[in-house]
């Protein structure tokens, strides 16, 4: 396991191995929440006030005799049948395994869910029992060894066995969710200090930032904001020191350099911002057996954010956006510190801006949202980004700048500013990473403590627009996206077929391009035409061939961000050989000019083809229109010559034999 321990204002990494001896070890448990809880005393399905009592039960030698020890009693969640217990409600508890391994099987952990709806009951242990369940300590240890911090759902046994089968089935669906892992030294110190703390957990927030991920790292008003005195609150945002315009560092100065970092110039703040972070938040188990690696994320700054407060400020005081960033990866959710009244905020290395996520699946994506903190109403979401981490190589530090948008499922959108981040992936075993792509992504659950933070998390994952709601605008956007893909694919396929038939250079070998694919197609075609029974094998082989050709095509793109590792790189990983890669350092805007020319050529080609197609359609329409008019005139002339009735009418009206002119002229002359 890997954990972070604060020491002297800085964090040092402590590498801890799995315990070889499972006796006498401390285990940290968490009560996550309950699902579909129902009290036998309430027949109308009313909401409960549930709480959980956790007991360690020891089975004695005398039959039917057990000893019980209360480990923790959570606080009640009011008016709900699906409670979620947070840190403030005492959801964490510690217990120690027996010193002798033979005694482990005689211990189990019992969870009693009770209802506090009856106000006349003063003793919590006398409250009505909703349900109970147990888990042997042996099973808990196995979970900590093989699947630490994995969500475990336990079915509650009904407290009243005399209920009807229908009610019994309903109560059988009642569950509580828990999870466990071996406790670190920091966990034990944290629980000891938290047990002595008075007030809410928010006043001890900096300890949550360094826990192992069982807790959701939350930022309301940050530690700096809570510790502000009245004199600090009225400090000017800008001041002039030694003839230089300086700004107040938010949310606070460096604890080790309080005086020198309270006010900094804009250039000094940028220099400090680029330094390595010193306050890391650990989310997840780190390098445990169930994890593939770790993702290091640092939120550096945002620029050109819109002012989501009143245009002229609330009551004319000129307030601006109070931004903070929400980061979601797998089941973990974390927030940065809040920077007040800044449209281009910068997070310093000593603030809560850096997070370490455990990587559980290679297809997991990183979600970031920028929000405006509002203590009076719900938070205002500004923009978001979604990052595919498969585009980044392990053990390389990336500094990235993204445009942020309210939604990603619309084509016409306006940028709401930019965000700059720094990230790095550390993989434990690349072969295990490749093999894990064959497994489906697991279903993960993220616990959010209130509706305001839930809205922030939903915006980070799904954006502004809800795709589950029927809207013709989304259908049109998806149709346009499909048409764009078809349009690009038409050119790519035509280029590939033309290159294959004309034996053009396809694969670069040193300084030459050789027609390798044309040779493969020629030899393979000759071999297959005489052996048609190889059709199934040739079909699947052609799929692999197309994938390799697509990989080579990506490698030839001048943009570094479009390139990927070669086939031989992944083959070396699978064969447990040391792969070779040429990627070391990517400079800012490296090869960007050639990439822009490449993209401009593609865009010019597509636009030129569309213009030619539009002109051809207009020309065909004009030719068809002229042809139809000519045919119409000839038809009218022939009809006038062959129509006998027109001649008879002309003779009767005019009294003379009509001429060979058109009928309408003959009739008009009579008048």
């Amino acid at each position: 396991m890997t954990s972070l321990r604060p020491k002297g204002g800085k964090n040092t990494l402590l590498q801890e191995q799995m315990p070889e001896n499972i006796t006498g070890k401390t285990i940290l448990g968490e009560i996550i929440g309950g699902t579909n809880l129902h009290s036998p005393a309430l027949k109308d399905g009313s909401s409960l006030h549930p709480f959980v009592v956790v007991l360690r039960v020891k089975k004695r030698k005398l039959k039917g005799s057990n000893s019980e020890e209360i480990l923790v009693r959570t606080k009640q969640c009011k008016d709900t049948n699906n409670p979620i217990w947070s840190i403030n409600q005492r959801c964490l508890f510690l217990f120690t395994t027996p010193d002798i391994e033979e005694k482990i099987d005689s211990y189990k952990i019992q969870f009693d869910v009770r209802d506090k709806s009856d106000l006349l009951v003063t003793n919590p242990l006398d409250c009505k029992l909703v349900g109970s369940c147990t888990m042997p300590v042996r099973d808990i240890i196995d979970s900590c060894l093989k699947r630490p911090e994995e969500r475990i759902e336990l079915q509650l046994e009904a407290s009243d066995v005399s209920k009807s089968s229908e009610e019994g089935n309903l109560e059988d669906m009642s569950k509580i969710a828990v999870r466990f892992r071996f406790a670190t030294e920091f966990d034990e110190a944290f629980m000891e200090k938290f047990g002595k703390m008075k007030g809410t957990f928010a006043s001890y927030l900096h300890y949550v930032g360094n826990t192992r991920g069982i807790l959701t790292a939350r930022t309301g008003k940050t530690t700096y904001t809570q510790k502000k005195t009245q004199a600090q609150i009225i400090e000017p945002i800008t001041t002039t020191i030694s003839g230089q315009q300086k700004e107040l560092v938010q949310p606070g100065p460096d604890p080790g350099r309080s005086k020198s970092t309270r006010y900094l110039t804009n250039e000094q703040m940028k220099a400090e911002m680029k330094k390595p972070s010193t306050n890391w938040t650990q989310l997840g188990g780190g390098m445990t057996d169930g994890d593939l690696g770790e993702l290091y994320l640092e939120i550096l700054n945002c620029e050109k954010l819109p002012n989501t407060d009143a245009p002229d400020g609330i009551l004319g005081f000129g307030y601006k956006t109070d931004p903070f960033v929400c980061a979601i990866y797998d089941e973990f959710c974390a927030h940065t510190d809040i920077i007040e009244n800044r449209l281009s905020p910068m997070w310093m290395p000593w603030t809560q801006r850096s997070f370490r996520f455990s990587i559980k699946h290679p297809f997991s994506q990183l979600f970031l949202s920028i929000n405006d903190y509002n203590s009076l109403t719900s938070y205002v979401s500004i923009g978001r980004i979604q990052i595919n981490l498969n585009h980044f190589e392990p053990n390389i530090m990336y500094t990235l700048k993204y445009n942020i948008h309210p939604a990603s499922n619309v084509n016409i959108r306006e940028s709401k500013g930019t965000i700059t981040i720094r990230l790095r992936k550390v993989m434990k075993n690349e072969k295990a990473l490749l093999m894990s792509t064959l497994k489906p992504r697991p279903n993960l659950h993220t616990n959010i403590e209130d509706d305001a933070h839930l809205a922030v998390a939903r915006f980070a994952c799904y954006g502004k627009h809800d795709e589950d709601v029927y809207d013709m605008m989304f259908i049109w956007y998806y149709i346009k996206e499909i048409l764009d893909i078809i349009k690009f694919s038409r050119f790519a396929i035509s280029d590939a077929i033309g290159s294959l038939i004309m034996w053009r250079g396809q694969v670069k070998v040193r300084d030459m391009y050789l027609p390798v694919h044309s040779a493969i197609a020629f030899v393979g075609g000759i071999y297959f035409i005489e052996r048609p029974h190889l059709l199934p094998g040739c079909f699947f082989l052609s799929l692999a061939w197309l994938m390799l050709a697509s990989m080579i095509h990506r490698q030839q793109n001048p943009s570094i961000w479009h390139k990927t590792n070669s086939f031989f790189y992944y083959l070396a990983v699978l064969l447990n050989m040391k792969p070779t890669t040429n990627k070391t350092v990517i400079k800012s805007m490296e090869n960007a000019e050639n990439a822009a020319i490449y993209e401009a050529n593609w865009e010019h080609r597509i636009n030129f083809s569309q213009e030619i197609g539009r002109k051809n359609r207009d020309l065909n329409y004009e030719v068809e229109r002229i042809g139809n008019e000519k045919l119409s005139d000839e038809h009218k002339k022939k009809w006038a010559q062959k129509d006998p009735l027109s001649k008879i009418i002309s003779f009767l009206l005019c009294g003379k034999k009509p001429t060979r002119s058109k009928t309408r002229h003959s009739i008009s002359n009579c008048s």
Side-chain angles (χ1 to χ4, degrees):
M1 289 187 178
T2 304
S3 64
L4 285 172
R5 300 180 61 190
K7 183 178 180 181
K10 297 184 179 180
N11 292 340
T12 58
L13 297 180
L14 176 63
Q15 302 292 336
E16 299 179 0
Q17 303 297 329
M18 281 293 183
E20 298 179 358
N21 186 8
I22 60 176
T23 59
K25 298 298 179 183
T26 304
I27 294 178
L28 175 64
E30 178 188 10
I31 307 168
I32 301 175
T35 305
N36 199 22
L37 302 182
H38 294 272
S39 174
L42 301 176
K43 299 182 179 180
D44 56 351
S46 302
S47 299
L48 309 178
H49 299 279
F51 65 94
V52 181
V53 180
V54 183
L55 306 99
R56 179 169 57 181
V57 181
K58 179 183 178 181
K59 185 178 180 180
R60 296 181 177 176
K61 294 183 179 180
L62 296 177
K63 189 174 181 181
S65 176
N66 295 330
S67 63
E68 298 179 349
E69 175 190 358
I70 297 179
L71 299 178
V72 71
R73 178 177 65 83
T74 68
K75 294 184 179 180
Q76 58 175 314
C77 293
K78 297 183 179 180
D79 295 325
T80 180
N81 297 100
N82 300 282
I84 296 177
W85 286 280
S86 62
I87 309 299
N88 288 330
Q89 297 168 312
R90 296 193 293 264
C91 68
L92 298 178
F93 60 94
L94 294 172
F95 68 94
T96 305
T97 60
D99 295 333
I100 303 176
E101 187 171 357
E102 288 75 12
K103 294 184 178 181
I104 292 179
D105 295 328
S106 61
Y107 284 87
K108 60 183 179 180
I109 303 300
Q110 179 174 324
F111 302 91
D112 292 342
V113 181
R114 298 181 178 271
D115 179 24
K116 191 66 172 58
S117 299
D118 192 353
L119 300 179
L120 299 179
V121 179
T122 57
N123 186 2
L125 299 181
D126 294 336
C127 294
K128 187 66 177 179
L129 182 65
V130 177
S132 179
C133 60
T134 59
M135 188 172 181
V137 173
R138 176 75 67 179
D139 294 345
I140 296 176
I141 294 175
D142 292 340
S143 174
C144 294
L145 290 172
K146 299 177 182 179
R147 301 174 301 276
E149 301 184 13
E150 184 178 82
R151 179 187 176 98
I152 303 173
E153 292 188 349
L154 303 175
Q155 183 173 330
L156 296 177
E157 296 180 1
S159 60
D160 192 346
V161 297
S162 64
K163 293 292 175 183
S164 63
S165 60
E166 180 180 359
E167 293 177 344
N169 292 334
L170 186 61
E171 291 181 349
D172 288 342
M173 298 170 59
S174 299
K175 300 178 181 179
I176 63 170
V178 297
R179 50 183 172 180
F180 304 92
R181 66 172 170 81
F182 288 110
T184 63
E185 294 180 2
F186 177 77
D187 293 332
E188 298 180 20
F190 166 76
M191 293 295 291
E192 181 181 359
K193 293 181 180 180
F194 181 59
K196 298 178 181 179
M197 185 191 62
K198 297 181 179 180
T200 64
F201 182 68
S203 61
Y204 209 69
L205 186 61
H206 57 284
Y207 279 95
V208 180
N210 293 299
T211 52
R212 297 282 319 287
I214 268 188
L215 321 175
T216 300
R218 169 187 178 270
T219 301
K221 283 292 183 179
T222 65
T223 307
Y224 287 105
T225 306
Q226 291 162 358
K227 291 183 178 180
K228 281 183 177 180
T229 62
Q230 186 66 23
Q232 290 174 324
I233 293 176
I234 61 175
E235 283 183 324
I237 296 179
T238 60
T239 185
T240 302
I241 301 176
S242 301
Q244 291 182 327
Q245 186 77 13
K246 295 188 176 183
E247 299 180 2
L248 179 67
V249 176
Q250 293 192 34
D254 186 355
R257 301 176 296 154
S258 179
K259 293 183 179 180
S260 61
T261 58
R262 183 171 300 279
Y263 284 93
L264 296 174
T265 63
N266 190 44
E267 291 75 13
Q268 291 173 341
M269 293 180 68
K270 290 182 179 180
E272 290 286 343
M273 175 195 69
K274 296 178 181 179
K275 293 181 179 180
S277 297
T278 58
N279 183 23
W280 287 89
T281 299
Q282 176 74 41
L283 297 125
M287 294 293 190
T288 60
D289 291 342
D291 297 331
L292 300 173
E294 285 186 319
L295 172 66
Y296 292 77
L297 172 67
E298 298 175 79
I299 310 297
L300 300 183
N301 74 315
C302 295
E303 294 179 334
K304 300 179 181 179
L305 298 179
N307 188 3
T308 56
D309 290 341
D312 295 328
I314 302 176
L315 300 178
F317 287 105
Y319 291 148
K320 296 181 181 179
T321 302
D322 303 328
F324 69 94
V325 178
C326 172
I328 296 180
Y329 183 73
D330 277 343
E331 59 183 327
F332 309 113
C333 177
H335 297 172
T336 65
D337 284 329
I338 300 169
I339 308 297
E340 298 180 351
N341 295 322
R342 290 285 198 279
L343 300 182
S344 296
M346 288 182 281
W347 284 271
M348 298 295 106
W350 55 85
T351 62
Q352 185 170 305
R353 71 167 191 180
S354 49
F355 311 98
R356 295 172 59 195
F357 297 96
S358 294
I359 299 177
K360 298 181 179 297
H361 197 273
F363 293 154
S364 298
Q365 298 192 358
L366 176 65
F367 301 92
L368 299 176
S369 69
I370 296 87
N371 311 272
D372 177 23
Y373 177 82
N374 195 329
S375 60
L376 300 179
T377 60
S378 59
Y379 304 145
V380 179
S381 298
I382 299 174
R384 63 182 289 274
I385 58 173
Q386 180 177 342
I387 303 176
N388 184 0
L389 299 176
N390 291 323
H391 293 164
F392 307 108
E393 296 296 322
N395 303 319
I396 295 180
M397 183 73 72
Y398 293 90
T399 302
L400 309 166
K401 188 175 184 179
Y402 291 95
N403 291 324
I404 58 175
H405 303 274
S408 59
N409 50 4
V410 294
N411 292 335
I412 303 175
R413 54 185 184 173
E414 181 182 358
S415 175
K416 297 296 183 179
T418 63
I419 182 173
T420 303
I421 64 174
R422 192 161 56 201
L423 61 83
R424 176 170 59 97
K425 292 195 306 182
V426 177
M427 308 310 302
K428 184 168 56 175
N429 189 339
E430 287 199 66
K431 182 178 180 180
L433 178 68
L434 284 179
M435 299 305 295
S436 63
T437 58
L438 302 177
K439 302 178 182 179
R441 187 173 180 271
N443 293 325
L444 302 173
H445 302 269
T446 301
N447 297 325
I448 306 298
E449 58 186 275
D450 52 40
D451 293 339
H453 288 84
L454 177 61
V456 172
R458 287 186 60 86
F459 176 79
C461 295
Y462 304 110
K464 180 180 179 180
H465 304 290
D466 188 0
E467 294 186 352
D468 295 334
V469 178
Y470 175 78
D471 195 334
M472 282 299 300
M473 179 182 67
F474 294 140
I475 297 177
W476 166 246
Y477 285 145
Y478 289 137
I479 293 175
K480 189 176 184 304
E481 183 179 357
I482 294 173
L483 293 177
D484 291 339
I485 294 174
I486 294 175
K487 186 194 318 177
F488 177 81
S489 301
R490 181 164 57 89
F491 288 102
I493 294 173
S494 63
D495 288 348
I497 294 176
S499 175
L500 202 65
I501 295 176
M502 303 304 296
W503 286 68
R504 296 170 182 164
Q506 296 124 6
V507 180
K508 186 177 182 181
V509 179
R510 294 188 178 181
D511 296 333
M512 297 183 298
Y513 284 89
L514 301 179
V516 176
H517 294 294
S518 299
I520 294 175
F522 179 75
V523 175
I526 294 176
Y527 187 82
F528 168 71
I529 202 66
E530 298 178 355
R531 300 167 180 82
H533 62 279
L534 298 178
L535 176 61
C538 292
F539 172 74
F540 290 106
L541 184 61
S542 63
L543 294 180
W545 179 34
L546 290 175
M547 294 175 67
L548 288 174
S550 176
M551 179 183 293
I552 294 175
H553 178 73
R554 288 189 59 181
Q555 291 285 4
Q556 295 175 354
N557 194 309
S559 175
I560 298 178
W561 300 105
H562 283 78
K563 296 182 182 296
T564 182
N565 290 320
S566 64
F567 168 77
F568 298 102
Y569 176 89
Y570 294 109
L571 181 62
V573 171
L574 292 175
L575 296 178
N576 294 325
M577 299 171 60
K578 185 177 181 180
T580 58
T581 177
N582 296 326
K583 295 183 179 180
T584 54
V585 177
I586 302 176
K587 299 179 181 179
S588 177
M589 303 301 292
E590 182 177 350
N591 215 20
E593 184 177 354
N594 294 333
I597 295 174
Y598 180 84
E599 296 293 336
N601 290 337
W602 263 106
E603 185 176 357
H604 173 73
R605 182 181 179 186
I606 294 175
N607 294 336
F608 181 75
S609 176
Q610 290 179 341
E611 186 65 24
I612 294 298
R614 191 180 302 109
K615 290 182 179 179
N616 289 334
R617 287 195 302 270
D618 295 341
L619 182 60
N620 292 334
Y621 174 77
E622 187 67 19
V623 171
E624 184 178 358
R625 185 183 63 80
I626 294 174
N628 290 337
E629 289 182 355
K630 184 177 181 181
L631 291 175
S632 178
D633 292 341
E634 293 178 355
H635 177 73
K636 290 179 180 179
K637 184 182 295 185
K638 291 180 180 179
W639 177 255
Q641 293 175 355
K642 296 179 180 180
D643 186 9
L645 185 60
S646 62
K647 298 180 180 180
I648 295 173
I649 294 175
S650 177
F651 176 76
L652 294 176
L653 295 176
C654 302
K656 60 181 181 180
K657 187 176 180 179
T659 62
R660 291 183 176 272
S661 61
K662 294 182 179 180
T663 304
R664 60 177 181 269
H665 294 300
S666 301
I667 296 176
S668 61
N669 292 335
C670 294
S671 59

